[in-house]
Amino acid sequence: MANKKVNKKDIAKLLNQWRQQFTVLAPSKENGVAQMAEWDGKDTSFLDWYRNTVIPPKASFLPPMEEMFRFQKDKEGYHIELPPTNEHKQLIFGIRPCDARAMTILDMTFEEAYQDPYYLSRRKNAVLVGLGCTNPCESCFCTSMGVSPTESTNVDLMLTDIGDQFLIEVVTDKGKELIAKASGLKEATKDDEAKAKETKETSYNKITRKLDTEGIVDKLQASFDDEGFWEQTAAKCISCGICTLLCPTCYCFDINDELVRGEGTRFRSWDSCGFPVYTKMPMENPRLEKWRRVRQKVCHKFEFYPMTFNVIACTGCGRCIRLCPVNWDITQVLESVPVKTGVRK
Amino acid sequence: MTATDISHRKKFFALGNVYLPHIVVIEKIIEETPGVRTFHFNFKDKKLGKEFSFESGQFGQYSVFGIGEAPFCISSSPTRRDHLEFTAQRVGRVTNALHRLGAGAELGFRGPYGNSFPLDFLKSKNLVFVGGGIGLAPLRSLIWNVIDNRNKYKKIDIIYGARSPADLCFKYDLDAWGKDKTVNMVTTVDKGDDTWKGKVGVVPKILEEVAPSAREAVAIVCGPPIMIRFTFPVLEKLGFTPKQMLTTLEKRMKCGIGKCGRCNIGNIYVCRDGPVFSYAQIKNFVSSEY
Ligand code: SF4
Ligand code: SF4
Ligand code: FES
């Protein structure tokens, strides 16, 4: 399908058409924190202030807290039922390419072997409408992670800024349906395409932070037991967990029960390998020392995930750099992994 | 040891959802030692109980509703399916709650999860079981499994120890194996008492004394991490190669199926890729993460 375009001032109209069928989520500031939240039908001011959300879009698929099932006891014993679901038909408008890529990375874990029904049903029913970055942050290093700030993969539709309008690329069949249901779109011209190409090139070159990941798996393997390096790396970290909780590719969760007046709920909530209790067993804790936890975070993304799924579980979104209270910087850490000969394995 | 194909297990999920437990009923509780109890249980839905199958080494996630879930291996043998068993030491929130329950109480159960002891690999071999404390739980599922198929295996040595005579678990099994002429049963305690007539000494030391041959043998080692750490070097001295040593690992677990992230050692998830490992698979991690 040929590419389309839409006037920036008509975005509200477009979203309202999609709102007939989907819960439309768009960048929004809740208590000052940027995140994808249900769109109110009017406000498109995010087009001016939005660079990226603080809370990554994974929250719409793996919520910070969600009910897994309910249980109740009566004379016959325990009964279990699933929570009432709405269909979770979400349209995420404005997801950045790095975060869309993160969803593809998360899919690997949740689809592998045992399928995760909660995550996957939301994922299956959702559509992603991407919006290319024209004003990336200093902390972004997506281009080093194989992501371009305007690329049209991992989404259903992709929008690129071409002045007063957005060019719309149709990426998937789901995207095709979205376009078919929308009125008021125009065909993109050769000129529009040329402008989009220019936007993409300029944006790409705005990413100045670089990370060389060549041979990173081997390097990390060889340095796994280098306690000195890890201790130094972890020194200033205060184990707040931000860099993992708000990382778009982190998925660790905890499971707990709650019982209120005989009504029980089992729920899961985001968790972080940065917290000491994460691995705590009654008699021992294999990651009591902070450096072991920092090592786990780094190696999970850059060593273990590639070993299992053949992709690095980092998209260069830069959140862990921007949001860390003590300026811990993953690109610096990875650049300083000692080069050792003789791989551990 | 081998990644398990789970496709056949899907039909067993409660309401088609892997996180939902089935209801099981505690039928009997055995006090093994002060603080360690074995729970006999069956599925509340008899039909499900018939459909349920598992292999030695696999584990389940058990719910005390309102408190939470904890993983325990199924400590009974798949060759003895009158009921299922697991054994729990009272150490945390869930196990404390478990120990307050009596026969007739209902639990949630999901599973079986994880891989299992590689019976094909063990076939026609001499088997050396090395266990410590409550670590006998996963071993006894396999030991009964092997004894119930006795002609498939060669010599059987069992070296089992605990801190004191009062800390020995599964005394009824130790008795039965002691009487079995086809089994060499050695029981030891770190510290004896007036009535103790067995061996005295930590498990690795007694293993060195018993000195089972490594020829066509496999050692299966389960117990507290400290015992495991000191047992592997003894086995190596006796000529066992890392591939001839098996163990089960324990980690904090939540999901049990490789999703929640917390049970990893390197790129291995103990819940999904274990809990049974050969020493060859994990020896690089023993110093650092285990
Ligand atoms: S955000 Fe910074 S301080 Fe917080 S856990 Fe991550 S590295 Fe440590
Ligand atoms: S590790 Fe940091 S830069 Fe990479 S995806 Fe996670 S938050 Fe973004
Ligand atoms: S227990 Fe969740 S990944 Fe192993």
Side-chain angles (χ1 to χ4, degrees):
Chain A
M1 190 188 262
N3 291 339
K4 303 280 181 204
K5 63 177 170 181
V6 60
N7 282 325
K8 280 185 181 169
K9 62 174 174 36
D10 291 336
I11 285 293
K13 262 190 226 155
L14 182 62
L15 292 185
N16 271 317
Q17 289 177 29
W18 288 334
R19 216 148 73 106
Q20 313 282 320
Q21 213 194 331
F22 292 95
T23 305
V24 172
L25 307 184
S28 153
K29 278 189 184 153
E30 311 284 314
N31 303 319
V33 179
Q35 55 197 282
M36 292 295 177
E38 186 163 357
W39 185 61
D40 65 0
K42 303 188 286 284
D43 184 12
T44 56
S45 63
F46 62 85
L47 292 176
D48 301 321
W49 60 258
Y50 171 55
R51 295 177 93 181
N52 203 352
T53 54
V54 170
I55 298 178
K58 73 171 180 189
S60 304
F61 300 92
L62 180 69
M65 187 172 284
E66 80 177 302
E67 207 181 329
M68 302 178 89
F69 63 84
R70 297 170 179 186
F71 51 90
Q72 247 187 330
K73 196 182 173 179
D74 64 16
K75 278 194 299 252
E76 281 140 42
Y78 279 102
H79 301 275
I80 290 178
E81 59 177 30
L82 285 164
T85 47
N86 52 34
E87 277 220 298
H88 300 303
K89 290 193 77 175
Q90 309 181 98
L91 181 149
I92 314 250
F93 182 82
I95 189 169
R96 297 301 190 193
C98 55
D99 289 344
R101 163 95 181 129
M103 294 313 305
T104 303
I105 291 173
L106 287 181
D107 291 347
M108 296 171 183
T109 287
F110 287 113
E111 270 171 0
E112 183 252 3
Y114 292 97
Q115 307 205 319
D116 187 282
Y118 309 98
Y119 173 93
L120 290 174
S121 78
R122 289 197 185 88
R123 207 45 189 117
K124 197 176 80 221
N125 290 321
V127 288
L128 301 182
V129 180
L131 181 57
C133 270
T134 48
N135 187 16
C137 305
E138 181 281 324
S139 44
C140 295
F141 57 102
C142 55
T143 54
S144 296
M145 303 313 298
V147 179
S148 137
T150 56
E151 76 175 39
S152 52
T153 41
N154 309 303
V155 290
D156 298 297
L157 291 178
M158 186 67 200
L159 272 57
T160 307
D161 195 323
I162 51 170
D164 293 335
Q165 295 158 318
F166 288 115
L167 180 97
I168 307 178
E169 282 170 83
V170 182
V171 184
T172 63
D173 286 345
K174 273 186 187 173
K176 217 182 259 180
E177 270 176 56
L178 280 183
I179 291 297
K181 288 198 182 106
S183 60
L185 303 178
K186 292 206 198 78
E187 297 277 321
T189 63
K190 274 224 174 77
D191 202 34
D192 298 329
E193 301 281 357
K195 271 195 217 155
K197 197 165 165 243
E198 202 186 303
T199 306
K200 288 185 182 221
E201 270 169 29
T202 326
S203 297
Y204 194 94
N205 292 327
K206 279 187 186 161
I207 308 279
T208 50
R209 187 185 278 263
K210 300 280 180 240
L211 172 66
D212 181 7
T213 58
E214 179 75 27
I216 192 67
V217 172
D218 291 347
K219 260 165 74 182
L220 286 169
Q221 274 181 5
S223 293
F224 193 80
D225 290 322
D226 187 339
E227 243 181 85
F229 167 70
W230 291 111
E231 261 175 8
Q232 198 188 328
T233 296
K236 66 179 172 185
C237 169
I238 55 169
S239 298
C240 70
I242 290 288
C243 58
T244 42
L245 296 171
L246 295 182
C247 169
T249 68
C250 273
Y251 53 83
C252 287
F253 58 83
D254 198 3
I255 300 178
N256 284 293
D257 283 11
E258 192 175 71
L259 196 57
V260 181
R261 277 180 233 97
E263 307 262 327
T265 309
R266 180 159 297 165
F267 60 91
R268 67 174 171 188
S269 48
W270 287 357
D271 201 351
S272 166
C273 62
F275 301 147
V277 295
Y278 179 75
T279 48
K280 187 182 176 299
M281 292 182 284
M283 314 289 247
E284 62 174 332
N285 187 348
R287 291 192 210 127
L288 191 58
E289 295 103 323
K290 184 175 61 177
W291 63 268
R292 292 182 190 273
R293 304 197 296 274
V294 170
R295 176 177 70 180
Q296 163 63 20
K297 171 182 69 182
V298 174
C299 290
H300 188 203
K301 296 189 173 305
F302 289 86
E303 179 186 343
F304 311 148
Y305 219 82
M307 286 168 80
T308 308
F309 295 115
N310 224 2
V311 297
I312 292 178
C314 168
T315 66
C317 78
R319 282 188 182 82
C320 59
I321 301 171
R322 282 198 292 286
L323 303 170
C324 174
V326 298
N327 294 320
W328 190 88
D329 182 335
I330 191 142
T331 56
Q332 272 173 20
V333 169
L334 288 162
E335 300 284 9
S336 59
V337 179
V339 181
K340 295 203 170 128
T341 47
V343 171
R344 198 170 116 259
K345 290 240 141 171
Chain B
M1 292 229 319
T2 42
T4 326
D5 176 18
I6 56 109
S7 47
H8 67 285
R9 292 193 206 155
K10 285 188 181 150
K11 69 172 187 341
F12 199 72
F13 297 167
L15 304 178
N17 181 318
V18 63
Y19 293 105
L20 264 50
H22 289 293
I23 306 294
V24 297
V25 184
I26 298 175
E27 292 180 339
K28 186 176 160 187
I29 299 172
I30 297 174
E31 177 110 4
E32 301 287 353
T33 73
V36 175
R37 285 182 188 174
T38 294
F39 297 82
H40 293 199
F41 67 98
N42 253 317
F43 285 84
K44 191 175 181 183
D45 178 342
K46 296 263 147 38
K47 196 169 143 271
L48 267 179
K50 287 215 175 67
E51 285 168 13
F52 180 77
S53 68
F54 74 101
E55 289 154 49
S56 293
Q58 290 192 294
F59 70 96
Q61 278 286 8
Y62 302 75
S63 301
V64 181
F65 290 109
I67 305 290
E69 267 184 323
F72 304 103
C73 72
I74 302 173
S75 60
S76 50
S77 167
T79 51
R80 304 182 170 204
R81 277 303 306 275
D82 168 53
H83 62 268
L84 299 157
E85 297 178 25
F86 72 94
T87 303
Q89 184 170 12
R90 196 175 65 223
V91 283
R93 245 162 53 85
V94 175
T95 48
N96 264 291
L98 264 174
H99 277 241
R100 283 195 293 271
L101 298 177
E106 292 183 356
L107 299 174
F109 174 90
R110 355 181 237 125
Y113 295 140
N115 67 354
S116 53
F117 289 108
L119 294 180
D120 284 345
F121 176 66
L122 301 181
K123 213 168 120 188
S124 313
K125 300 250 170 60
N126 299 310
L127 303 179
V128 182
F129 294 96
V130 185
I134 193 178
L136 191 54
L139 282 183
R140 76 187 276 267
S141 173
L142 180 61
I143 293 173
W144 280 122
N145 197 336
V146 161
I147 288 178
D148 290 341
N149 293 282
R150 190 63 189 89
N151 54 359
K152 287 195 192 158
Y153 307 91
K154 293 211 183 114
K155 225 174 141 253
I156 298 179
D157 289 296
I158 304 172
I159 296 140
Y160 173 66
R163 264 174 310 180
S164 73
D167 290 310
L168 293 167
C169 295
F170 309 106
K171 294 186 192 76
Y172 41 96
D173 288 340
L174 303 178
D175 284 348
W177 299 333
K179 285 186 194 121
D180 188 329
K181 296 257 163 5
T182 74
V183 173
N184 174 34
M185 176 79 226
V186 180
T187 311
T188 180
V189 292
D190 298 356
K191 208 170 168 292
D193 58 17
D194 300 345
T195 55
W196 179 249
K197 293 194 193 67
K199 289 197 182 286
V200 176
V202 294
V203 168
K205 192 181 137 239
I206 302 301
L207 171 67
E208 205 164 355
E209 270 175 40
V210 176
S213 159
R215 267 201 72 204
E216 288 178 54
V218 180
I220 306 111
V221 186
C222 295
I226 177 104
M227 182 206 93
I228 295 181
R229 252 172 252 148
F230 284 103
T231 298
F232 284 145
V234 173
L235 287 168
E236 277 183 316
K237 241 206 260 172
L238 293 171
F240 285 79
T241 63
K243 281 199 180 135
Q244 285 173 281
M245 305 178 207
L246 305 180
T247 188
T248 58
L249 296 184
E250 256 182 65
K251 290 273 153 190
R252 183 178 171 96
M253 290 183 184
K254 285 285 179 170
C255 70
I257 55 170
K259 308 288 183 227
C260 77
R262 78 198 55 237
C263 70
N264 81 300
I265 306 178
N267 67 324
I268 286 167
Y269 281 119
V270 172
C271 69
R272 182 194 64 188
D273 308 317
V276 179
F277 294 98
S278 75
Y279 184 48
Q281 285 173 294
I282 57 163
K283 69 173 191 286
N284 287 327
F285 296 108
V286 167
S287 63
S288 43
E289 280 268 78
Y290 182 65

